Amino acid sequence: MIFITAKFRVKPEHADRWPEIARSFTEATRAEPGCLWFDWSRSVEDPAEYVLVEAFRDGEAGAAHVNSAHFQTAQRELPPHLVETPRVINTTLDQDDWSELGEMAVPEGS
């Protein structure tokens, strides 16, 4: 799978509304057949920073995402709400879902 994590620094005046601003892009991406997940989180230290964790089945699914109409729309509509260009980590992993964090295993029946 292609695993991507991106940090978005949103202009403070738009930070509370960011989930709504990005909603149509988020919903359209989640509906893509090759999208495994596309989840936003807000920083607890900086309320104007959002982290996007996303994964796509493979390179073909990633290319379909980047070439989609909703991605092109997001390229036009999202940057005016940002302080700077988002930072990203993008890698390919030999797995297709989350692994358990064994170091914090929860005993059965807990």
Side-chain angles (χ1 to χ4, degrees):
M1 78 172 149
I2 297 175
F3 183 81
I4 303 162
T5 303
K7 286 189 175 190
F8 289 72
R9 291 202 51 233
V10 179
K11 291 179 180 176
E13 63 269 25
H14 301 294
D16 287 341
R17 292 184 38 250
W18 182 252
E20 184 58 37
I21 291 166
R23 183 176 310 282
S24 62
F25 177 53
T26 300
E27 290 175 352
T29 301
R30 287 177 176 166
E32 293 175 24
C35 180
L36 300 175
W37 58 80
F38 194 85
D39 298 320
W40 293 97
S41 296
R42 192 173 193 179
S43 171
V44 295
E45 295 174 359
D46 179 357
E49 182 177 80
Y50 284 83
V51 176
L52 175 60
V53 179
E54 55 187 304
F56 296 90
R57 181 185 60 243
D58 52 27
E60 185 177 306
H65 171 62
V66 171
N67 291 310
S68 68
H70 56 271
F71 189 90
Q72 293 170 13
T73 298
Q75 285 179 300
R76 288 189 312 273
E77 294 180 356
L78 298 184
H81 301 280
L82 302 175
V83 172
E84 63 188 13
T85 301
R87 294 174 298 155
V88 65
I89 297 171
N90 181 331
T91 191
T92 301
L93 301 173
D94 187 24
Q95 62 188 81
D96 60 6
D97 203 353
W98 291 91
S99 300
E100 287 188 351
L101 180 60
E103 295 83 358
M104 295 211 181
V106 176
E108 287 189 38
S110 295

